[in-house]
Coordinates of all heavy atoms in Angstrom, one line a residue:
M1 N -26.8 13.6 15.3 CA -27.1 12.3 15.1 C -26.8 11.8 13.6 O -26.3 10.8 13.4 CB -28.6 12.0 15.4 CG -29.0 10.6 15.4 SD -28.1 9.7 16.7 CE -29.2 8.5 17.0
R2 N -27.1 12.7 12.7 CA -26.9 12.4 11.3 C -25.4 12.2 11.1 O -25.0 11.3 10.3 CB -27.4 13.6 10.4 CG -27.2 13.3 9.0 CD -27.8 14.3 8.1 NE -27.6 14.0 6.7 CZ -27.5 14.9 5.8 NH1 -27.5 16.2 6.1 NH2 -27.3 14.6 4.6
R3 N -24.5 13.0 11.7 CA -23.1 12.9 11.5 C -22.6 11.5 12.0 O -21.7 10.9 11.4 CB -22.3 14.0 12.2 CG -22.4 15.3 11.5 CD -21.5 16.3 12.1 NE -21.7 17.6 11.4 CZ -21.4 18.7 11.9 NH1 -20.9 18.8 13.1 NH2 -21.5 19.8 11.2
V4 N -23.1 11.1 13.1 CA -22.8 9.8 13.7 C -23.2 8.7 12.7 O -22.4 7.8 12.4 CB -23.4 9.5 15.0 CG1 -23.2 8.1 15.5 CG2 -22.9 10.5 16.1
A5 N -24.3 8.8 12.1 CA -24.8 7.8 11.2 C -23.9 7.8 9.9 O -23.6 6.7 9.4 CB -26.3 8.0 10.8
E6 N -23.5 9.0 9.5 CA -22.6 9.1 8.3 C -21.3 8.4 8.6 O -20.7 7.7 7.8 CB -22.4 10.5 7.9 CG -23.6 11.1 7.2 CD -23.4 12.6 6.9 OE1 -22.3 13.2 7.2 OE2 -24.4 13.2 6.5
R7 N -20.7 8.6 9.8 CA -19.5 8.0 10.1 C -19.6 6.5 10.2 O -18.7 5.8 9.7 CB -18.9 8.6 11.5 CG -18.3 9.9 11.3 CD -17.6 10.3 12.6 NE -18.7 10.5 13.6 CZ -18.6 11.3 14.6 NH1 -17.5 12.0 14.8 NH2 -19.6 11.5 15.4
I8 N -20.6 6.0 10.8 CA -20.8 4.6 10.8 C -20.9 4.0 9.4 O -20.3 3.0 9.1 CB -22.1 4.2 11.7 CG1 -21.8 4.6 13.2 CG2 -22.4 2.8 11.5 CD1 -23.0 4.5 14.0
H9 N -21.7 4.7 8.6 CA -21.9 4.2 7.2 C -20.5 4.2 6.5 O -20.2 3.3 5.8 CB -22.9 5.1 6.4 CG -22.9 4.8 5.0 ND1 -23.5 3.6 4.5 CD2 -22.4 5.4 3.9 CE1 -23.4 3.6 3.2 NE2 -22.7 4.7 2.8
N10 N -19.8 5.3 6.6 CA -18.5 5.4 6.0 C -17.5 4.4 6.5 O -16.8 3.8 5.7 CB -17.9 6.8 6.2 CG -18.6 7.9 5.4 OD1 -19.3 7.6 4.4 ND2 -18.5 9.1 5.8
A11 N -17.5 4.1 7.8 CA -16.7 3.0 8.3 C -17.1 1.7 7.7 O -16.2 0.9 7.4 CB -16.8 3.0 9.8
D12 N -18.4 1.4 7.6 CA -18.8 0.2 7.0 C -18.4 0.0 5.6 O -17.9 -1.0 5.1 CB -20.3 0.0 7.1 CG -20.8 -0.2 8.5 OD1 -20.0 -0.6 9.4 OD2 -22.0 0.0 8.7
V13 N -18.5 1.1 4.8 CA -18.0 1.1 3.4 C -16.6 0.8 3.3 O -16.1 0.0 2.5 CB -18.4 2.5 2.7 CG1 -17.7 2.5 1.4 CG2 -19.9 2.6 2.6
L14 N -15.7 1.5 4.1 CA -14.3 1.2 4.1 C -13.9 -0.2 4.5 O -13.0 -0.8 4.0 CB -13.6 2.2 5.1 CG -13.6 3.7 4.6 CD1 -12.9 4.5 5.7 CD2 -12.8 3.8 3.3
E15 N -14.7 -0.7 5.5 CA -14.4 -2.1 5.9 C -14.6 -3.1 4.8 O -14.0 -4.1 4.8 CB -15.3 -2.4 7.1 CG -15.0 -3.7 7.8 CD -15.9 -3.9 9.0 OE1 -16.2 -3.0 9.7 OE2 -16.2 -5.1 9.2
F16 N -15.6 -2.9 3.9 CA -15.9 -3.8 2.9 C -15.4 -3.5 1.5 O -15.8 -4.1 0.6 CB -17.4 -4.0 2.9 CG -17.9 -4.6 4.1 CD1 -18.7 -3.9 5.0 CD2 -17.7 -5.9 4.5 CE1 -19.1 -4.4 6.2 CE2 -18.1 -6.5 5.6 CZ -18.9 -5.7 6.5
M17 N -14.5 -2.5 1.5 CA -13.9 -2.2 0.2 C -13.0 -3.4 -0.3 O -12.3 -3.9 0.5 CB -13.1 -0.9 0.2 CG -13.9 0.3 0.4 SD -12.9 1.8 0.5 CE -12.0 1.8 -1.1
P18 N -13.1 -3.8 -1.5 CA -12.3 -4.9 -2.0 C -10.8 -4.5 -2.0 O -10.5 -3.3 -2.3 CB -12.8 -5.2 -3.4 CG -13.4 -3.9 -3.8 CD -13.9 -3.2 -2.6
L19 N -9.9 -5.4 -1.8 CA -8.5 -5.2 -1.9 C -8.1 -5.3 -3.3 O -8.7 -6.0 -4.1 CB -7.7 -6.2 -1.0 CG -8.0 -6.1 0.5 CD1 -7.2 -7.2 1.2 CD2 -7.6 -4.8 1.0
H20 N -7.0 -4.6 -3.7 CA -6.5 -4.7 -5.0 C -5.3 -5.6 -5.0 O -4.2 -5.2 -4.6 CB -6.1 -3.2 -5.4 CG -7.2 -2.3 -5.4 ND1 -7.7 -1.7 -4.2 CD2 -8.0 -1.8 -6.4 CE1 -8.7 -0.9 -4.5 NE2 -8.9 -0.9 -5.8
W21 N -5.4 -6.8 -5.4 CA -4.4 -7.9 -5.2 C -3.3 -7.9 -6.2 O -3.6 -7.7 -7.4 CB -5.1 -9.3 -5.2 CG -6.1 -9.4 -4.1 CD1 -7.4 -9.3 -4.1 CD2 -5.7 -9.7 -2.7 NE1 -7.9 -9.5 -2.9 CE2 -6.9 -9.8 -2.0 CE3 -4.5 -9.9 -2.1 CZ2 -6.9 -10.0 -0.6 CZ3 -4.5 -10.2 -0.7 CH2 -5.7 -10.2 0.0
F22 N -2.1 -8.1 -5.7 CA -0.9 -8.3 -6.6 C -0.8 -9.8 -6.9 O -1.0 -10.6 -6.1 CB 0.4 -8.0 -5.8 CG 0.6 -6.5 -5.6 CD1 1.6 -6.1 -4.7 CD2 -0.1 -5.5 -6.2 CE1 1.8 -4.8 -4.4 CE2 0.2 -4.2 -6.0 CZ 1.2 -3.8 -5.1
S23 N -0.3 -10.1 -8.1 CA 0.1 -11.5 -8.4 C 1.3 -11.4 -9.3 O 1.2 -10.9 -10.4 CB -1.1 -12.2 -9.1 OG -0.7 -13.5 -9.4
P24 N 2.4 -11.9 -8.9 CA 2.7 -12.5 -7.6 C 3.0 -11.4 -6.6 O 3.2 -10.2 -6.9 CB 4.0 -13.3 -7.8 CG 4.7 -12.6 -8.9 CD 3.6 -12.0 -9.8
P25 N 3.1 -11.7 -5.3 CA 3.4 -10.7 -4.2 C 4.8 -10.2 -4.4 O 5.7 -10.8 -5.1 CB 3.2 -11.4 -2.9 CG 3.3 -12.9 -3.2 CD 2.9 -13.0 -4.7
V26 N 5.1 -9.1 -3.8 CA 6.5 -8.5 -3.7 C 7.0 -8.7 -2.3 O 6.3 -8.3 -1.3 CB 6.4 -7.0 -4.0 CG1 7.8 -6.4 -3.9 CG2 5.8 -6.7 -5.4
Y27 N 8.1 -9.4 -2.2 CA 8.7 -9.7 -0.9 C 9.6 -8.6 -0.4 O 10.5 -8.1 -1.2 CB 9.5 -11.0 -0.9 CG 8.5 -12.2 -1.0 CD1 8.2 -12.7 -2.3 CD2 7.9 -12.7 0.1 CE1 7.3 -13.7 -2.4 CE2 7.0 -13.8 -0.1 CZ 6.7 -14.3 -1.3 OH 5.9 -15.3 -1.4
V28 N 9.4 -8.1 0.8 CA 10.2 -7.0 1.4 C 10.7 -7.4 2.7 O 10.1 -8.2 3.4 CB 9.3 -5.7 1.4 CG1 8.9 -5.2 0.1 CG2 8.1 -5.8 2.4
A29 N 11.8 -6.7 3.1 CA 12.4 -6.9 4.4 C 11.5 -6.2 5.5 O 11.0 -5.2 5.2 CB 13.8 -6.4 4.5
T30 N 11.4 -6.8 6.6 CA 10.7 -6.2 7.7 C 11.7 -5.6 8.7 O 12.9 -5.7 8.5 CB 9.8 -7.2 8.5 OG1 10.7 -8.1 9.2 CG2 8.9 -8.0 7.6
S31 N 11.2 -5.0 9.8 CA 12.1 -4.4 10.8 C 12.8 -5.5 11.6 O 13.7 -5.2 12.3 CB 11.3 -3.4 11.7 OG 10.2 -4.1 12.3
N32 N 12.3 -6.7 11.5 CA 12.9 -7.8 12.3 C 14.0 -8.5 11.4 O 13.6 -9.0 10.3 CB 11.9 -8.8 12.7 CG 10.9 -8.3 13.7 OD1 11.2 -7.4 14.5 ND2 9.7 -8.8 13.6
P33 N 15.2 -8.5 11.8 CA 16.3 -9.1 10.9 C 16.0 -10.5 10.5 O 15.5 -11.3 11.3 CB 17.5 -9.0 11.8 CG 17.2 -8.0 12.8 CD 15.8 -8.0 13.0
G34 N 16.2 -10.8 9.2 CA 15.9 -12.1 8.6 C 14.5 -12.4 8.3 O 14.2 -13.4 7.7
E35 N 13.6 -11.5 8.6 CA 12.2 -11.8 8.3 C 11.8 -11.0 7.0 O 12.4 -10.0 6.7 CB 11.2 -11.3 9.4 CG 11.2 -12.2 10.6 CD 10.2 -11.8 11.6 OE1 9.3 -11.0 11.3 OE2 10.2 -12.3 12.7
R36 N 10.9 -11.6 6.2 CA 10.4 -10.9 5.1 C 8.9 -11.0 5.1 O 8.3 -11.8 5.8 CB 10.9 -11.5 3.8 CG 10.4 -12.9 3.5 CD 11.1 -13.5 2.3 NE 10.5 -14.8 2.0 CZ 10.5 -15.4 0.8 NH1 11.1 -14.8 -0.2 NH2 9.9 -16.5 0.6
Y37 N 8.2 -10.1 4.3 CA 6.8 -10.0 4.3 C 6.4 -10.0 2.8 O 7.0 -9.3 2.0 CB 6.3 -8.7 5.0 CG 4.8 -8.6 5.0 CD1 4.1 -9.3 5.9 CD2 4.1 -7.9 4.0 CE1 2.7 -9.2 5.9 CE2 2.7 -7.8 4.0 CZ 2.0 -8.5 5.0 OH 0.7 -8.4 5.0
A38 N 5.4 -10.8 2.5 CA 4.8 -10.8 1.1 C 3.7 -9.7 1.0 O 2.7 -9.9 1.5 CB 4.2 -12.2 0.8
V39 N 4.1 -8.7 0.3 CA 3.1 -7.6 0.0 C 2.2 -8.0 -1.1 O 2.8 -8.2 -2.3 CB 3.8 -6.2 -0.2 CG1 2.7 -5.2 -0.5 CG2 4.6 -5.9 0.9
S40 N 1.0 -8.3 -0.9 CA 0.1 -8.9 -1.9 C -1.0 -8.0 -2.4 O -1.9 -8.5 -3.1 CB -0.4 -10.2 -1.4 OG -1.1 -10.0 -0.2
N41 N -1.1 -6.7 -1.9 CA -2.1 -5.9 -2.4 C -1.7 -4.4 -2.3 O -0.7 -4.1 -1.6 CB -3.4 -6.1 -1.6 CG -3.3 -5.9 -0.2 OD1 -3.1 -4.7 0.3 ND2 -3.4 -6.9 0.6
V42 N -2.4 -3.6 -3.1 CA -2.0 -2.1 -3.2 C -2.2 -1.5 -1.8 O -1.3 -0.6 -1.4 CB -2.9 -1.4 -4.2 CG1 -2.6 0.1 -4.3 CG2 -2.7 -2.0 -5.6
E43 N -3.2 -1.8 -1.0 CA -3.4 -1.2 0.3 C -2.2 -1.4 1.2 O -1.7 -0.5 1.8 CB -4.6 -1.8 0.9 CG -5.9 -1.4 0.3 CD -6.3 -2.1 -1.1 OE1 -5.5 -3.0 -1.5 OE2 -7.2 -1.7 -1.7
R44 N -1.7 -2.6 1.2 CA -0.5 -2.9 2.1 C 0.8 -2.2 1.5 O 1.6 -1.7 2.2 CB -0.3 -4.4 2.2 CG 0.9 -4.8 3.1 CD 0.7 -4.3 4.5 NE -0.3 -5.2 5.2 CZ -0.7 -5.0 6.4 NH1 -0.3 -3.9 7.1 NH2 -1.6 -5.8 6.9
A45 N 0.9 -2.2 0.2 CA 2.0 -1.5 -0.5 C 2.0 0.0 -0.1 O 3.1 0.5 0.3 CB 1.9 -1.7 -2.0
A46 N 0.9 0.6 -0.1 CA 0.8 2.0 0.3 C 1.3 2.2 1.8 O 2.0 3.1 2.1 CB -0.6 2.5 0.1
E47 N 0.9 1.3 2.6 CA 1.3 1.4 4.0 C 2.8 1.3 4.2 O 3.4 2.0 4.9 CB 0.6 0.3 4.9 CG -0.8 0.5 5.1 CD -1.4 -0.7 5.9 OE1 -0.7 -1.3 6.7 OE2 -2.6 -1.0 5.7
Y48 N 3.4 0.3 3.5 CA 4.8 0.1 3.5 C 5.5 1.4 2.9 O 6.5 1.8 3.5 CB 5.3 -1.1 2.8 CG 5.4 -2.3 3.7 CD1 4.3 -3.2 3.9 CD2 6.5 -2.6 4.4 CE1 4.4 -4.3 4.7 CE2 6.6 -3.6 5.3 CZ 5.5 -4.5 5.4 OH 5.6 -5.6 6.3
L49 N 5.0 1.9 1.8 CA 5.7 3.0 1.2 C 5.7 4.2 2.2 O 6.7 4.9 2.3 CB 4.9 3.4 -0.1 CG 5.1 2.6 -1.3 CD1 4.1 2.9 -2.3 CD2 6.5 2.7 -1.8
L50 N 4.6 4.4 2.9 CA 4.6 5.6 3.8 C 5.5 5.3 5.0 O 6.1 6.3 5.5 CB 3.1 5.8 4.3 CG 2.2 6.3 3.2 CD1 0.8 6.4 3.8 CD2 2.6 7.6 2.6
S51 N 5.7 4.1 5.4 CA 6.7 3.8 6.5 C 8.1 4.0 6.0 O 9.0 4.1 6.9 CB 6.4 2.4 7.0 OG 6.9 1.4 6.2
W52 N 8.4 4.0 4.7 CA 9.7 4.1 4.2 C 10.1 5.6 3.8 O 11.2 5.8 3.3 CB 9.9 3.3 2.9 CG 9.8 1.8 3.1 CD1 9.8 1.1 4.3 CD2 9.5 0.9 2.1 NE1 9.6 -0.2 4.0 CE2 9.4 -0.4 2.7 CE3 9.3 1.0 0.7 CZ2 9.1 -1.6 1.9 CZ3 9.0 -0.2 0.0 CH2 9.0 -1.4 0.6
R53 N 9.2 6.5 4.1 CA 9.4 7.9 3.6 C 10.7 8.5 4.1 O 11.2 9.4 3.5 CB 8.2 8.7 3.8 CG 7.9 9.1 5.3 CD 6.7 9.9 5.4 NE 6.3 10.0 6.8 CZ 5.6 9.2 7.5 NH1 5.1 8.1 6.9 NH2 5.2 9.4 8.7
H54 N 11.2 8.0 5.2 CA 12.4 8.6 5.8 C 13.7 7.8 5.5 O 14.8 8.1 6.0 CB 12.3 8.8 7.3 CG 11.2 9.8 7.6 ND1 11.1 11.1 7.3 CD2 10.0 9.6 8.3 CE1 10.0 11.6 7.7 NE2 9.3 10.8 8.3
S55 N 13.5 6.7 4.8 CA 14.7 5.8 4.5 C 14.9 5.6 3.1 O 14.6 4.6 2.5 CB 14.5 4.5 5.2 OG 13.3 3.8 4.7
G56 N 15.5 6.6 2.4 CA 15.9 6.4 1.0 C 14.8 6.7 0.0 O 14.8 6.2 -1.1
A57 N 13.8 7.5 0.4 CA 12.7 7.8 -0.5 C 13.2 8.7 -1.6 O 13.5 9.9 -1.4 CB 11.5 8.4 0.3
G58 N 13.2 8.2 -2.8 CA 13.7 8.9 -4.0 C 12.6 9.0 -5.0 O 11.4 8.9 -4.8
E59 N 13.0 9.1 -6.3 CA 12.1 9.2 -7.4 C 11.2 8.0 -7.6 O 10.0 8.2 -7.8 CB 12.9 9.5 -8.7 CG 12.0 9.8 -9.9 CD 11.1 11.0 -9.7 OE1 11.5 12.0 -9.0 OE2 9.9 11.0 -10.1
S60 N 11.8 6.8 -7.4 CA 10.9 5.6 -7.5 C 9.9 5.5 -6.4 O 8.7 5.1 -6.7 CB 11.8 4.3 -7.5 OG 12.6 4.3 -8.6
W61 N 10.3 6.0 -5.2 CA 9.3 6.0 -4.1 C 8.2 6.9 -4.4 O 7.0 6.6 -4.2 CB 10.1 6.4 -2.8 CG 9.2 6.4 -1.6 CD1 8.8 5.4 -0.8 CD2 8.5 7.6 -1.1 NE1 8.0 5.8 0.2 CE2 7.8 7.1 0.0 CE3 8.4 8.9 -1.5 CZ2 7.0 8.0 0.7 CZ3 7.6 9.8 -0.8 CH2 6.9 9.3 0.3
R62 N 8.5 8.2 -4.9 CA 7.5 9.1 -5.1 C 6.5 8.7 -6.2 O 5.3 8.8 -6.1 CB 8.1 10.5 -5.5 CG 8.7 11.3 -4.4 CD 9.1 12.7 -4.8 NE 10.4 12.7 -5.5 CZ 11.6 12.5 -4.9 NH1 11.7 12.3 -3.6 NH2 12.7 12.5 -5.7
E63 N 7.1 8.0 -7.3 CA 6.2 7.5 -8.3 C 5.3 6.4 -7.8 O 4.1 6.3 -8.1 CB 7.1 7.0 -9.5 CG 6.3 6.4 -10.6 CD 7.1 5.9 -11.8 OE1 8.3 5.8 -11.6 OE2 6.5 5.5 -12.8
A64 N 5.9 5.5 -7.0 CA 5.1 4.4 -6.4 C 3.9 4.9 -5.5 O 2.8 4.4 -5.6 CB 6.0 3.4 -5.6
V65 N 4.2 5.9 -4.7 CA 3.2 6.5 -3.9 C 2.0 7.0 -4.8 O 0.9 6.8 -4.6 CB 3.7 7.6 -3.0 CG1 2.6 8.4 -2.3 CG2 4.6 7.0 -1.9
A66 N 2.4 7.8 -5.8 CA 1.4 8.4 -6.7 C 0.6 7.3 -7.4 O -0.6 7.4 -7.5 CB 2.1 9.3 -7.7
V67 N 1.3 6.3 -7.9 CA 0.6 5.2 -8.7 C -0.3 4.4 -7.7 O -1.4 4.0 -8.1 CB 1.6 4.3 -9.5 CG1 0.9 3.1 -10.1 CG2 2.3 5.1 -10.5
C68 N 0.2 4.1 -6.5 CA -0.6 3.3 -5.6 C -1.9 4.1 -5.2 O -3.0 3.5 -5.1 CB 0.2 2.9 -4.4 SG 1.3 1.5 -4.7
M69 N -1.7 5.4 -4.9 CA -2.9 6.2 -4.6 C -3.9 6.2 -5.7 O -5.1 6.1 -5.6 CB -2.5 7.6 -4.2 CG -1.7 7.6 -2.9 SD -2.6 7.0 -1.5 CE -1.5 5.7 -1.0
A70 N -3.3 6.3 -7.0 CA -4.2 6.4 -8.1 C -4.9 5.0 -8.3 O -6.1 5.0 -8.6 CB -3.4 6.7 -9.4
A71 N -4.2 3.9 -8.1 CA -4.8 2.6 -8.2 C -6.0 2.4 -7.2 O -7.0 1.8 -7.5 CB -3.8 1.5 -8.0
L72 N -5.8 2.9 -6.0 CA -6.8 2.8 -5.0 C -8.1 3.6 -5.4 O -9.2 3.2 -5.0 CB -6.3 3.4 -3.6 CG -5.3 2.6 -2.9 CD1 -4.7 3.3 -1.7 CD2 -5.8 1.2 -2.6
K73 N -7.9 4.6 -6.2 CA -9.1 5.4 -6.7 C -9.6 4.9 -8.1 O -10.4 5.6 -8.7 CB -8.7 6.9 -6.8 CG -8.4 7.4 -5.4 CD -7.9 8.9 -5.6 CE -7.5 9.4 -4.2 NZ -7.1 10.8 -4.3
G74 N -8.9 3.9 -8.6 CA -9.3 3.4 -10.0 C -8.6 4.1 -11.1 O -9.0 3.9 -12.3
G75 N -7.6 4.9 -10.8 CA -7.0 5.7 -11.9 C -5.7 5.1 -12.4 O -5.0 5.7 -13.3
A76 N -5.3 3.9 -11.9 CA -4.1 3.2 -12.3 C -4.3 1.7 -12.1 O -5.2 1.3 -11.3 CB -2.9 3.7 -11.6
S77 N -3.6 0.9 -12.9 CA -3.8 -0.5 -12.8 C -3.1 -1.1 -11.6 O -2.1 -0.5 -11.1 CB -3.3 -1.2 -14.1 OG -1.9 -1.2 -14.1
V78 N -3.5 -2.2 -11.1 CA -2.8 -2.9 -10.0 C -1.4 -3.4 -10.5 O -0.5 -3.3 -9.7 CB -3.7 -4.2 -9.6 CG1 -2.9 -5.0 -8.6 CG2 -5.0 -3.7 -8.9
A79 N -1.3 -3.8 -11.8 CA 0.0 -4.2 -12.3 C 1.0 -3.0 -12.3 O 2.2 -3.2 -11.9 CB -0.2 -4.7 -13.7
D80 N 0.5 -1.8 -12.6 CA 1.4 -0.6 -12.5 C 1.8 -0.3 -11.1 O 2.9 0.0 -10.8 CB 0.7 0.6 -13.1 CG 0.7 0.5 -14.7 OD1 1.4 -0.3 -15.3 OD2 -0.1 1.3 -15.3
A81 N 0.8 -0.5 -10.2 CA 1.1 -0.2 -8.7 C 2.1 -1.2 -8.3 O 3.1 -0.9 -7.5 CB -0.2 -0.3 -7.9
R82 N 2.0 -2.5 -8.7 CA 2.9 -3.5 -8.2 C 4.3 -3.2 -8.7 O 5.3 -3.3 -8.0 CB 2.5 -4.9 -8.7 CG 3.4 -6.0 -8.2 CD 3.2 -7.3 -9.0 NE 4.1 -8.3 -8.4 CZ 5.4 -8.4 -8.7 NH1 5.9 -7.5 -9.5 NH2 6.1 -9.4 -8.2
S83 N 4.5 -2.9 -10.0 CA 5.8 -2.7 -10.6 C 6.5 -1.5 -10.0 O 7.7 -1.5 -9.7 CB 5.7 -2.6 -12.1 OG 5.0 -1.5 -12.6
T84 N 5.7 -0.4 -9.8 CA 6.3 0.8 -9.2 C 6.7 0.5 -7.7 O 7.7 1.0 -7.2 CB 5.4 2.0 -9.3 OG1 4.2 1.8 -8.7 CG2 5.3 2.4 -10.8
F85 N 5.8 -0.2 -7.0 CA 6.2 -0.6 -5.6 C 7.4 -1.4 -5.5 O 8.3 -1.2 -4.7 CB 5.0 -1.4 -5.0 CG 5.3 -1.9 -3.6 CD1 5.4 -1.0 -2.5 CD2 5.5 -3.2 -3.4 CE1 5.7 -1.4 -1.3 CE2 5.9 -3.7 -2.1 CZ 6.0 -2.8 -1.0
E86 N 7.6 -2.4 -6.5 CA 8.8 -3.2 -6.5 C 10.0 -2.3 -6.7 O 11.1 -2.5 -6.1 CB 8.7 -4.3 -7.5 CG 9.8 -5.2 -7.6 CD 9.6 -6.4 -8.5 OE1 8.8 -6.3 -9.4 OE2 10.3 -7.4 -8.3
A87 N 9.9 -1.4 -7.6 CA 11.1 -0.5 -7.9 C 11.4 0.4 -6.7 O 12.6 0.6 -6.3 CB 10.7 0.4 -9.1
A88 N 10.4 0.9 -6.0 CA 10.6 1.7 -4.8 C 11.2 0.8 -3.7 O 12.1 1.3 -3.0 CB 9.3 2.3 -4.3
A89 N 10.8 -0.4 -3.5 CA 11.4 -1.3 -2.5 C 12.8 -1.5 -2.8 O 13.7 -1.5 -1.9 CB 10.6 -2.6 -2.5
R90 N 13.2 -1.7 -4.1 CA 14.6 -1.9 -4.5 C 15.3 -0.6 -4.2 O 16.4 -0.7 -3.6 CB 14.6 -2.2 -6.0 CG 16.1 -2.4 -6.5 CD 16.1 -2.8 -8.0 NE 15.4 -4.1 -8.2 CZ 14.3 -4.3 -8.8 NH1 13.6 -3.2 -9.3 NH2 13.7 -5.5 -9.0
E91 N 14.8 0.6 -4.5 CA 15.5 1.8 -4.3 C 15.7 2.1 -2.8 O 16.7 2.6 -2.4 CB 14.6 3.0 -4.8 CG 15.1 4.4 -4.6 CD 14.2 5.4 -5.1 OE1 13.2 5.7 -4.5 OE2 14.5 5.9 -6.2
C92 N 14.8 1.7 -1.9 CA 14.9 1.9 -0.5 C 15.7 0.8 0.2 O 15.8 0.8 1.4 CB 13.5 2.0 0.1 SG 12.6 3.4 -0.3
G93 N 16.1 -0.2 -0.6 CA 16.9 -1.3 0.0 C 16.1 -2.3 0.8 O 16.6 -3.0 1.7
R94 N 14.8 -2.4 0.4 CA 13.9 -3.3 1.2 C 13.5 -4.5 0.4 O 12.8 -5.4 0.9 CB 12.6 -2.5 1.6 CG 12.9 -1.3 2.4 CD 13.5 -1.7 3.8 NE 13.7 -0.5 4.6 CZ 13.1 -0.2 5.6 NH1 12.1 -0.9 6.0 NH2 13.4 0.9 6.3
L95 N 13.8 -4.6 -0.9 CA 13.4 -5.7 -1.7 C 14.2 -6.9 -1.4 O 15.4 -6.9 -1.2 CB 13.6 -5.4 -3.2 CG 13.0 -6.4 -4.2 CD1 11.5 -6.5 -4.1 CD2 13.5 -6.0 -5.6
V96 N 13.5 -8.0 -1.2 CA 14.1 -9.3 -0.8 C 14.2 -10.2 -2.0 O 13.2 -10.3 -2.8 CB 13.4 -10.0 0.3 CG1 14.0 -11.3 0.7 CG2 13.4 -9.1 1.6

């Protein structure tokens, strides 16, 4: 019973964690031709980075993954996460 309560508590904590907002957003191409998406927070940037791991992931991509993960834990700034994400998007051919 205690484990169930811990999982519920942990899920509630994750649900209410504040997002780490970018300003301005970074626009990236989506899988739908002609569409773009405004990545406006570190959490979404991390999701996109992980989806790009098989399509041109190089040094900029590795740096962006590390910086975004650090930003989520408070070990890097949102501005650094944004700039490294933008560089990775450019490297992967996704920057719009």
Side-chain angles (χ1 to χ4, degrees):
M1 187 65 148
R2 182 174 179 213
R3 286 185 182 161
V4 171
E6 286 175 4
R7 279 189 293 211
I8 291 170
H9 172 72
N10 290 341
D12 289 342
V13 169
L14 291 175
E15 185 177 326
F16 295 107
M17 288 178 63
L19 296 177
H20 301 81
W21 295 101
F22 289 165
S23 181
V26 177
Y27 289 92
V28 297
T30 68
S31 58
N32 298 326
E35 286 187 11
R36 68 181 186 161
Y37 183 82
V39 178
S40 58
N41 59 66
V42 177
E43 291 77 4
R44 182 62 77 186
E47 288 178 30
Y48 269 93
L49 286 166
L50 294 178
S51 74
W52 298 340
R53 69 183 172 274
H54 299 297
S55 61
E59 186 59 37
S60 294
W61 180 86
R62 284 187 285 282
E63 181 181 7
V65 169
V67 173
C68 284
M69 294 299 119
L72 291 173
K73 296 176 183 178
S77 73
V78 172
D80 287 343
R82 185 196 178 282
S83 65
T84 58
F85 174 71
E86 185 173 20
R90 183 176 294 110
E91 177 181 79
C92 292
R94 304 294 178 110
L95 187 65
V96 177

